[in-house]
Amino acid sequence: MSKILFVVTGAHHWELADGTKHPTGLWAEELVVPHEMLTSAGHEVSIATPGGVVPRVDRSSLQPEATGGPEGAARMTKAVESIEDLRKPLTLSEVDLDDYQAVFYPGGHGPMEDLAVDQDSGQLLVAAMREQKPVGIVCHGPAAMLAAVDADGSNPFTGRRAAAFTNAEEAQAGLADKAKWLLQDRLVDIGVQVQEGEPWAPNVVVDGNLVTGQNPASSAQVATELLGKLS
């Protein structure tokens, strides 16, 4: 079986255009569902964050309206609490990519704050893409692509097809007009071919070793595609 590295945001807030610190973190479904699917298939998952910071789960992602009702909220909360590595993550700068066969980035607004500019994460992605290792990224996780700048100034995601949280979804979530920048716009700026699907509906794009999902509803399908690449 394979070892998969989950690179998770360590940010506890997202700074908006007016300087307001919007409480956030990782989105539970985007971590829990792939974690359950990959480990149930016998794979080993490790979690790393910038600086080894204990990640914060966005409380909104544990609410009934985000999890299909009270029973879903209880299940998601229990699932998050059962992942021990979330309480003792690896330090991203100390991770050796050679120890892993695939990399996965869940979202939440947190990556907009830290992974979008984190050099350790950026260089890990550069190496993973160079080595053609399976790379799975969901929702706001593609913000990490922005930091993936090689020594020659190029970005391995330029020209690649990908899904990511869209401007339309950010607007419907009520944060588009408050943000310093929008993920879809920045990805297009670096040459990513964003394949936009319907808001909140599953949308997964596979481009070679790269598997990306647009939103939380895409998490399971991204994990399924990763499992296929690891078999």
PDB file of all heavy atoms in Angstrom, residues 2-6 38 43-47 99-104 226 230:
ATOM      1  N   SER A   2       0.275   2.377  -0.337  1.00  0.00           N
ATOM      2  CA  SER A   2       1.017   3.624  -0.494  1.00  0.00           C
ATOM      3  C   SER A   2       0.915   4.529   0.724  1.00  0.00           C
ATOM      4  O   SER A   2       0.002   4.405   1.542  1.00  0.00           O
ATOM      5  CB  SER A   2       0.478   4.385  -1.717  1.00  0.00           C
ATOM      6  OG  SER A   2       0.599   3.620  -2.898  1.00  0.00           O
ATOM      7  N   LYS A   3       1.868   5.465   0.803  1.00  0.00           N
ATOM      8  CA  LYS A   3       1.824   6.525   1.807  1.00  0.00           C
ATOM      9  C   LYS A   3       1.439   7.816   1.106  1.00  0.00           C
ATOM     10  O   LYS A   3       2.030   8.174   0.087  1.00  0.00           O
ATOM     11  CB  LYS A   3       3.178   6.676   2.502  1.00  0.00           C
ATOM     12  CG  LYS A   3       3.580   5.493   3.365  1.00  0.00           C
ATOM     13  CD  LYS A   3       4.935   5.731   4.011  1.00  0.00           C
ATOM     14  CE  LYS A   3       4.894   6.891   4.996  1.00  0.00           C
ATOM     15  NZ  LYS A   3       6.213   7.058   5.679  1.00  0.00           N
ATOM     16  N   ILE A   4       0.451   8.507   1.652  1.00  0.00           N
ATOM     17  CA  ILE A   4      -0.034   9.755   1.065  1.00  0.00           C
ATOM     18  C   ILE A   4       0.165  10.875   2.062  1.00  0.00           C
ATOM     19  O   ILE A   4      -0.151  10.741   3.246  1.00  0.00           O
ATOM     20  CB  ILE A   4      -1.523   9.668   0.671  1.00  0.00           C
ATOM     21  CG1 ILE A   4      -1.745   8.554  -0.343  1.00  0.00           C
ATOM     22  CG2 ILE A   4      -2.009  10.987   0.096  1.00  0.00           C
ATOM     23  CD1 ILE A   4      -2.337   7.310   0.209  1.00  0.00           C
ATOM     24  N   LEU A   5       0.702  11.991   1.586  1.00  0.00           N
ATOM     25  CA  LEU A   5       0.892  13.156   2.433  1.00  0.00           C
ATOM     26  C   LEU A   5      -0.260  14.133   2.233  1.00  0.00           C
ATOM     27  O   LEU A   5      -0.520  14.586   1.123  1.00  0.00           O
ATOM     28  CB  LEU A   5       2.207  13.854   2.070  1.00  0.00           C
ATOM     29  CG  LEU A   5       2.509  15.127   2.873  1.00  0.00           C
ATOM     30  CD1 LEU A   5       2.801  14.789   4.328  1.00  0.00           C
ATOM     31  CD2 LEU A   5       3.679  15.888   2.251  1.00  0.00           C
ATOM     32  N   PHE A   6      -0.949  14.441   3.318  1.00  0.00           N
ATOM     33  CA  PHE A   6      -1.965  15.492   3.306  1.00  0.00           C
ATOM     34  C   PHE A   6      -1.296  16.785   3.762  1.00  0.00           C
ATOM     35  O   PHE A   6      -0.808  16.864   4.895  1.00  0.00           O
ATOM     36  CB  PHE A   6      -3.118  15.171   4.259  1.00  0.00           C
ATOM     37  CG  PHE A   6      -4.183  14.260   3.708  1.00  0.00           C
ATOM     38  CD1 PHE A   6      -3.862  13.198   2.878  1.00  0.00           C
ATOM     39  CD2 PHE A   6      -5.510  14.454   4.046  1.00  0.00           C
ATOM     40  CE1 PHE A   6      -4.846  12.348   2.380  1.00  0.00           C
ATOM     41  CE2 PHE A   6      -6.503  13.611   3.562  1.00  0.00           C
ATOM     42  CZ  PHE A   6      -6.180  12.563   2.727  1.00  0.00           C
ATOM     43  N   LEU A  38      -9.128   6.725   1.629  1.00  0.00           N
ATOM     44  CA  LEU A  38      -7.765   6.259   1.397  1.00  0.00           C
ATOM     45  C   LEU A  38      -7.318   5.269   2.472  1.00  0.00           C
ATOM     46  O   LEU A  38      -6.703   4.246   2.159  1.00  0.00           O
ATOM     47  CB  LEU A  38      -6.814   7.448   1.327  1.00  0.00           C
ATOM     48  CG  LEU A  38      -6.979   8.327   0.081  1.00  0.00           C
ATOM     49  CD1 LEU A  38      -6.292   9.668   0.274  1.00  0.00           C
ATOM     50  CD2 LEU A  38      -6.434   7.633  -1.157  1.00  0.00           C
ATOM     51  N   HIS A  43      -4.287   2.404   2.569  1.00  0.00           N
ATOM     52  CA  HIS A  43      -3.175   3.335   2.423  1.00  0.00           C
ATOM     53  C   HIS A  43      -2.891   4.058   3.744  1.00  0.00           C
ATOM     54  O   HIS A  43      -3.774   4.193   4.600  1.00  0.00           O
ATOM     55  CB  HIS A  43      -3.468   4.353   1.320  1.00  0.00           C
ATOM     56  CG  HIS A  43      -3.681   3.722  -0.021  1.00  0.00           C
ATOM     57  ND1 HIS A  43      -2.690   3.022  -0.679  1.00  0.00           N
ATOM     58  CD2 HIS A  43      -4.784   3.658  -0.817  1.00  0.00           C
ATOM     59  CE1 HIS A  43      -3.160   2.570  -1.832  1.00  0.00           C
ATOM     60  NE2 HIS A  43      -4.424   2.944  -1.936  1.00  0.00           N
ATOM     61  N   GLU A  44      -1.677   4.540   3.889  1.00  0.00           N
ATOM     62  CA  GLU A  44      -1.265   5.257   5.097  1.00  0.00           C
ATOM     63  C   GLU A  44      -1.241   6.751   4.803  1.00  0.00           C
ATOM     64  O   GLU A  44      -0.660   7.186   3.817  1.00  0.00           O
ATOM     65  CB  GLU A  44       0.131   4.796   5.529  1.00  0.00           C
ATOM     66  CG  GLU A  44       0.654   5.478   6.777  1.00  0.00           C
ATOM     67  CD  GLU A  44       2.051   5.004   7.156  1.00  0.00           C
ATOM     68  OE1 GLU A  44       2.467   3.925   6.681  1.00  0.00           O
ATOM     69  OE2 GLU A  44       2.719   5.731   7.910  1.00  0.00           O
ATOM     70  N   VAL A  45      -1.872   7.530   5.675  1.00  0.00           N
ATOM     71  CA  VAL A  45      -1.950   8.978   5.493  1.00  0.00           C
ATOM     72  C   VAL A  45      -1.188   9.692   6.601  1.00  0.00           C
ATOM     73  O   VAL A  45      -1.346   9.378   7.774  1.00  0.00           O
ATOM     74  CB  VAL A  45      -3.418   9.458   5.482  1.00  0.00           C
ATOM     75  CG1 VAL A  45      -3.491  10.985   5.520  1.00  0.00           C
ATOM     76  CG2 VAL A  45      -4.142   8.924   4.249  1.00  0.00           C
ATOM     77  N   SER A  46      -0.351  10.642   6.220  1.00  0.00           N
ATOM     78  CA  SER A  46       0.315  11.532   7.172  1.00  0.00           C
ATOM     79  C   SER A  46      -0.161  12.952   6.898  1.00  0.00           C
ATOM     80  O   SER A  46      -0.473  13.296   5.760  1.00  0.00           O
ATOM     81  CB  SER A  46       1.837  11.462   7.022  1.00  0.00           C
ATOM     82  OG  SER A  46       2.319  10.168   7.336  1.00  0.00           O
ATOM     83  N   ILE A  47      -0.188  13.773   7.944  1.00  0.00           N
ATOM     84  CA  ILE A  47      -0.644  15.157   7.814  1.00  0.00           C
ATOM     85  C   ILE A  47       0.486  16.098   8.189  1.00  0.00           C
ATOM     86  O   ILE A  47       1.150  15.916   9.207  1.00  0.00           O
ATOM     87  CB  ILE A  47      -1.869  15.407   8.718  1.00  0.00           C
ATOM     88  CG1 ILE A  47      -3.062  14.584   8.217  1.00  0.00           C
ATOM     89  CG2 ILE A  47      -2.223  16.894   8.761  1.00  0.00           C
ATOM     90  CD1 ILE A  47      -4.280  14.646   9.110  1.00  0.00           C
ATOM     91  N   ASP A  99       9.356   9.920   0.678  1.00  0.00           N
ATOM     92  CA  ASP A  99       8.679   8.972   1.562  1.00  0.00           C
ATOM     93  C   ASP A  99       7.226   8.742   1.171  1.00  0.00           C
ATOM     94  O   ASP A  99       6.560   7.885   1.764  1.00  0.00           O
ATOM     95  CB  ASP A  99       8.713   9.471   3.014  1.00  0.00           C
ATOM     96  CG  ASP A  99      10.117   9.506   3.585  1.00  0.00           C
ATOM     97  OD1 ASP A  99      10.982   8.743   3.099  1.00  0.00           O
ATOM     98  OD2 ASP A  99      10.361  10.306   4.516  1.00  0.00           O
ATOM     99  N   TYR A 100       6.748   9.481   0.181  1.00  0.00           N
ATOM    100  CA  TYR A 100       5.318   9.434  -0.155  1.00  0.00           C
ATOM    101  C   TYR A 100       5.097   9.170  -1.638  1.00  0.00           C
ATOM    102  O   TYR A 100       5.892   9.576  -2.481  1.00  0.00           O
ATOM    103  CB  TYR A 100       4.641  10.760   0.238  1.00  0.00           C
ATOM    104  CG  TYR A 100       4.772  11.041   1.715  1.00  0.00           C
ATOM    105  CD1 TYR A 100       5.837  11.811   2.199  1.00  0.00           C
ATOM    106  CD2 TYR A 100       3.876  10.505   2.625  1.00  0.00           C
ATOM    107  CE1 TYR A 100       5.985  12.042   3.559  1.00  0.00           C
ATOM    108  CE2 TYR A 100       4.011  10.731   3.988  1.00  0.00           C
ATOM    109  CZ  TYR A 100       5.073  11.496   4.450  1.00  0.00           C
ATOM    110  OH  TYR A 100       5.233  11.707   5.800  1.00  0.00           O
ATOM    111  N   GLN A 101       3.990   8.478  -1.903  1.00  0.00           N
ATOM    112  CA  GLN A 101       3.657   8.150  -3.291  1.00  0.00           C
ATOM    113  C   GLN A 101       2.640   9.117  -3.891  1.00  0.00           C
ATOM    114  O   GLN A 101       2.403   9.112  -5.099  1.00  0.00           O
ATOM    115  CB  GLN A 101       3.108   6.718  -3.366  1.00  0.00           C
ATOM    116  CG  GLN A 101       4.172   5.641  -3.222  1.00  0.00           C
ATOM    117  CD  GLN A 101       4.740   5.570  -1.808  1.00  0.00           C
ATOM    118  OE1 GLN A 101       3.994   5.377  -0.836  1.00  0.00           O
ATOM    119  NE2 GLN A 101       6.052   5.714  -1.686  1.00  0.00           N
ATOM    120  N   ALA A 102       2.012   9.950  -3.050  1.00  0.00           N
ATOM    121  CA  ALA A 102       1.020  10.903  -3.544  1.00  0.00           C
ATOM    122  C   ALA A 102       0.878  12.038  -2.535  1.00  0.00           C
ATOM    123  O   ALA A 102       1.264  11.899  -1.362  1.00  0.00           O
ATOM    124  CB  ALA A 102      -0.331  10.226  -3.759  1.00  0.00           C
ATOM    125  N   VAL A 103       0.320  13.136  -3.009  1.00  0.00           N
ATOM    126  CA  VAL A 103       0.119  14.326  -2.170  1.00  0.00           C
ATOM    127  C   VAL A 103      -1.323  14.781  -2.327  1.00  0.00           C
ATOM    128  O   VAL A 103      -1.877  14.743  -3.441  1.00  0.00           O
ATOM    129  CB  VAL A 103       1.074  15.467  -2.587  1.00  0.00           C
ATOM    130  CG1 VAL A 103       0.844  16.703  -1.727  1.00  0.00           C
ATOM    131  CG2 VAL A 103       2.527  15.020  -2.490  1.00  0.00           C
ATOM    132  N   PHE A 104      -1.916  15.236  -1.224  1.00  0.00           N
ATOM    133  CA  PHE A 104      -3.298  15.706  -1.273  1.00  0.00           C
ATOM    134  C   PHE A 104      -3.445  16.987  -0.463  1.00  0.00           C
ATOM    135  O   PHE A 104      -2.918  17.099   0.643  1.00  0.00           O
ATOM    136  CB  PHE A 104      -4.255  14.645  -0.719  1.00  0.00           C
ATOM    137  CG  PHE A 104      -5.681  15.106  -0.646  1.00  0.00           C
ATOM    138  CD1 PHE A 104      -6.456  15.171  -1.793  1.00  0.00           C
ATOM    139  CD2 PHE A 104      -6.245  15.488   0.563  1.00  0.00           C
ATOM    140  CE1 PHE A 104      -7.769  15.620  -1.734  1.00  0.00           C
ATOM    141  CE2 PHE A 104      -7.552  15.936   0.634  1.00  0.00           C
ATOM    142  CZ  PHE A 104      -8.316  15.995  -0.521  1.00  0.00           C
ATOM    143  N   LEU A 226      -7.744   9.466  -7.103  1.00  0.00           N
ATOM    144  CA  LEU A 226      -6.423   9.205  -6.504  1.00  0.00           C
ATOM    145  C   LEU A 226      -6.237   7.713  -6.256  1.00  0.00           C
ATOM    146  O   LEU A 226      -5.159   7.167  -6.511  1.00  0.00           O
ATOM    147  CB  LEU A 226      -6.266   9.975  -5.202  1.00  0.00           C
ATOM    148  CG  LEU A 226      -5.847  11.440  -5.291  1.00  0.00           C
ATOM    149  CD1 LEU A 226      -5.687  12.012  -3.894  1.00  0.00           C
ATOM    150  CD2 LEU A 226      -4.548  11.604  -6.064  1.00  0.00           C
ATOM    151  N   LEU A 230      -3.281   5.063  -7.598  1.00  0.00           N
ATOM    152  CA  LEU A 230      -2.405   4.361  -6.660  1.00  0.00           C
ATOM    153  C   LEU A 230      -2.521   2.844  -6.790  1.00  0.00           C
ATOM    154  O   LEU A 230      -1.742   2.117  -6.161  1.00  0.00           O
ATOM    155  CB  LEU A 230      -2.754   4.774  -5.223  1.00  0.00           C
ATOM    156  CG  LEU A 230      -2.418   6.225  -4.859  1.00  0.00           C
ATOM    157  CD1 LEU A 230      -3.056   6.595  -3.535  1.00  0.00           C
ATOM    158  CD2 LEU A 230      -0.915   6.431  -4.788  1.00  0.00           C
TER     159      LEU A 230
END
